[in-house]
Amino acid sequence: MRSGWLLRDGNVLVAAELAESLTDRTRGLLGHHHYDGAMLLPRTRAVHTFGMRFPIDVAFMTSDLEVVSTTRMGERRLCLPRRRCRWVLEAPAGSFDWWRLRAGDRLEFRETA
């Protein structure tokens, strides 16, 4: 996994991890008791929360990280794949309200050295 920052309009929203491997993408936030930050899942169109220990906010994004839609998912939920989406962003529930993340926002991942 690569660590970095998630930005919108050049402003840092949160520290983020980029889950590149199939194993990391499949796992996502599963197994965490809590999580500070956000996780980006490339080549992902749907997620589930079976085995999650806390609710999460989920953003579905295009290949250029434009947010198409967002949702909040509780435990034991399954999301259907979203058309046009190639990335998913996961964060603890309430994060998107705090960041004022909305459909149409374009995000950027900047890796830390």
Side-chain angles (χ1 to χ4, degrees):
M1 258 198 252
R2 294 181 357 204
S3 297
W5 300 104
L6 188 65
L7 295 91
R8 177 184 55 210
D9 298 327
N11 298 312
V12 173
L13 294 176
V14 67
E17 292 183 299
L18 177 60
E20 295 181 287
S21 73
L22 178 59
T23 302
D24 289 340
R25 289 193 324 268
T26 302
R27 185 179 313 120
L29 294 179
L30 292 173
H32 289 85
H33 293 284
H34 70 286
Y35 191 78
D36 294 325
M39 185 170 293
L40 281 163
L41 308 170
R43 299 176 303 281
T44 305
R45 297 176 58 204
V47 295
H48 67 83
T49 58
F50 297 101
M52 290 290 298
R53 297 181 173 138
F54 55 94
I56 60 173
D57 286 343
V58 179
F60 299 92
M61 301 177 293
T62 62
S63 58
D64 58 354
L65 299 183
E66 180 181 342
V67 177
V68 173
S69 66
T70 63
T71 190
R72 181 161 296 155
M73 294 178 65
E75 296 176 26
R76 298 181 304 278
R77 298 288 181 248
L78 174 66
C79 252
L80 295 175
R82 298 300 209 290
R83 287 184 55 194
R84 297 183 33 222
C85 296
R86 299 294 177 263
W87 289 72
V88 167
L89 173 66
E90 295 180 340
S95 297
F96 293 178
D97 292 336
W98 179 256
W99 306 335
R100 295 187 177 130
L101 187 71
R102 303 285 180 259
D105 287 350
R106 190 173 306 263
L107 304 178
E108 173 188 352
F109 176 76
R110 192 170 298 164
E111 190 172 359
T112 55

